[in-house]
Amino acid sequence: TEDEILLFEREMKEFWTKFKSIYGSEQISQTLALRDSCKESIKGLSETWSKKLKEADLKICKIQECSNEILQQSQRISENQEQFTEIESNLNHEEEQKKDLTDSIQELKEELMKKKEIISAKNKASKERVEPLCKFKVLFEERLGLEIRRIPNEQLQFIFRYIDHKDPDKPYVFTLSINEQGDYEVTSCTPPLDCIAEFQLKVRETNNFSAFVANSRKAFTALSYK
């Protein structure tokens, strides 16, 4: 180092002073030449090591810069890894939701198909029940003074006339439908008949609709005489 070099020079001067007092001029000249040679060698070594130290400092700085850059890259990689893990977790969650949604849609489709089959079966049963009624429409109209109308909600309205001899055009009406169980059901009756529930039960047991209509007319006729 610079301090060591100065110390060395100071020791050399002291050595030269002592040596000068002991030896002659010739030896002094040789020693001086040797000293100068040593100084040149020391100067050369000093310059060489000083250069190497500067190069080493530069390399250390570069290594430190590389180390800092590597540390920053490592931090970015760690952050990216955390983001990737979060994204992957979100994707997995979305896949689970998609699967649940797909399963729910499939269940709804199956349930809808079942309901369609049930509705189709009910419509078919209702049609099978209603068609025979329509076949007797003309017969009932001609013989019993009956008018049959199809009204909303798959119902049939039965309108009797020529019952009240005082007012032949006065209507006597009951409305009939097919319930979810496929049975006949009287939904309204004007004027009310106390026996209509009994007639309804009878037609469900016998499926004799002609008798049901005839009995209803008879009941309306009996009511008109009261």
Side-chain angles (χ1 to χ4, degrees):
T1 62
E2 294 293 334
D3 292 338
E4 290 175 341
I5 293 172
L6 292 173
L7 178 61
F8 180 77
E9 288 179 348
R10 185 166 58 252
E11 290 177 350
M12 286 293 293
K13 287 179 180 179
E14 292 176 357
F15 172 77
W16 172 249
T17 302
K18 291 178 182 181
F19 185 78
K20 186 177 180 182
S21 62
I22 298 171
Y23 297 96
S25 58
E26 185 177 354
Q27 286 84 359
I28 291 173
S29 297
Q30 292 177 356
T31 302
L32 183 61
L34 180 60
R35 186 198 67 174
D36 292 340
S37 177
C38 288
K39 287 179 70 175
E40 290 295 327
S41 297
I42 291 171
K43 183 179 179 181
L45 288 172
S46 177
E47 291 176 353
T48 300
W49 282 106
S50 177
K51 183 178 179 181
K52 288 184 178 182
L53 286 172
K54 290 180 180 179
E55 292 176 353
D57 289 338
L58 290 175
K59 289 181 179 180
I60 290 172
C61 289
K62 289 183 179 179
I63 290 172
Q64 187 63 40
E65 290 176 358
C66 291
S67 178
N68 292 335
E69 185 176 354
I70 291 172
L71 180 60
Q72 292 176 358
Q73 290 179 353
S74 177
Q75 290 176 345
R76 286 195 294 268
I77 291 172
S78 179
E79 292 173 356
N80 292 336
Q81 182 64 35
E82 291 177 358
Q83 292 178 354
F84 176 78
T85 302
E86 183 179 356
I87 292 172
E88 186 178 22
S89 177
N90 291 335
L91 287 175
N92 291 335
H93 182 63
E94 289 178 0
E95 284 295 328
E96 291 177 359
Q97 288 183 328
K98 181 180 178 181
K99 184 179 182 301
D100 292 341
L101 181 60
T102 302
D103 293 341
S104 298
I105 291 173
Q106 184 61 32
E107 290 177 1
L108 289 174
K109 285 183 178 179
E110 293 175 357
E111 185 177 352
L112 181 61
M113 288 298 296
K114 290 179 181 178
K115 288 184 178 180
K116 284 183 177 180
E117 291 175 358
I118 293 172
I119 293 172
S120 178
K122 288 181 179 179
N123 289 339
K124 183 178 179 182
S126 298
K127 185 177 180 181
E128 291 175 351
R129 288 294 185 90
V130 171
E131 283 181 352
L133 302 182
C134 295
K135 290 181 180 179
F136 291 106
K137 179 176 182 294
V138 176
L139 177 63
F140 290 154
E141 286 180 349
E142 292 176 353
R143 296 188 180 184
L144 302 177
L146 173 65
E147 178 185 357
I148 302 175
R149 296 177 182 174
R150 187 186 295 273
I151 61 175
N153 299 323
E154 297 296 326
Q155 297 184 99
L156 291 178
Q157 191 176 65
F158 294 77
I159 305 171
F160 295 94
R161 301 183 191 280
Y162 313 129
I163 289 179
D164 189 347
H165 62 281
K166 296 179 182 179
D167 186 3
D169 289 331
K170 180 180 178 180
Y172 290 74
V173 183
F174 71 83
T175 304
L176 191 71
S177 67
I178 307 297
N179 62 21
E180 293 183 355
Q181 289 72 35
D183 296 325
Y184 294 112
E185 182 174 352
V186 178
T187 57
S188 66
C189 183
T190 306
L193 292 175
D194 295 336
C195 55
I196 196 68
E198 181 183 347
F199 293 165
Q200 176 179 273
L201 181 60
K202 192 69 175 178
V203 74
R204 289 179 180 180
E205 293 175 350
T206 64
N207 203 32
N208 190 343
F209 189 75
S210 298
F212 171 76
V213 174
N215 290 333
S216 298
R217 190 177 193 284
K218 288 179 183 178
F220 281 134
T221 301
L223 186 64
S224 69
Y225 285 102
K226 291 183 178 180

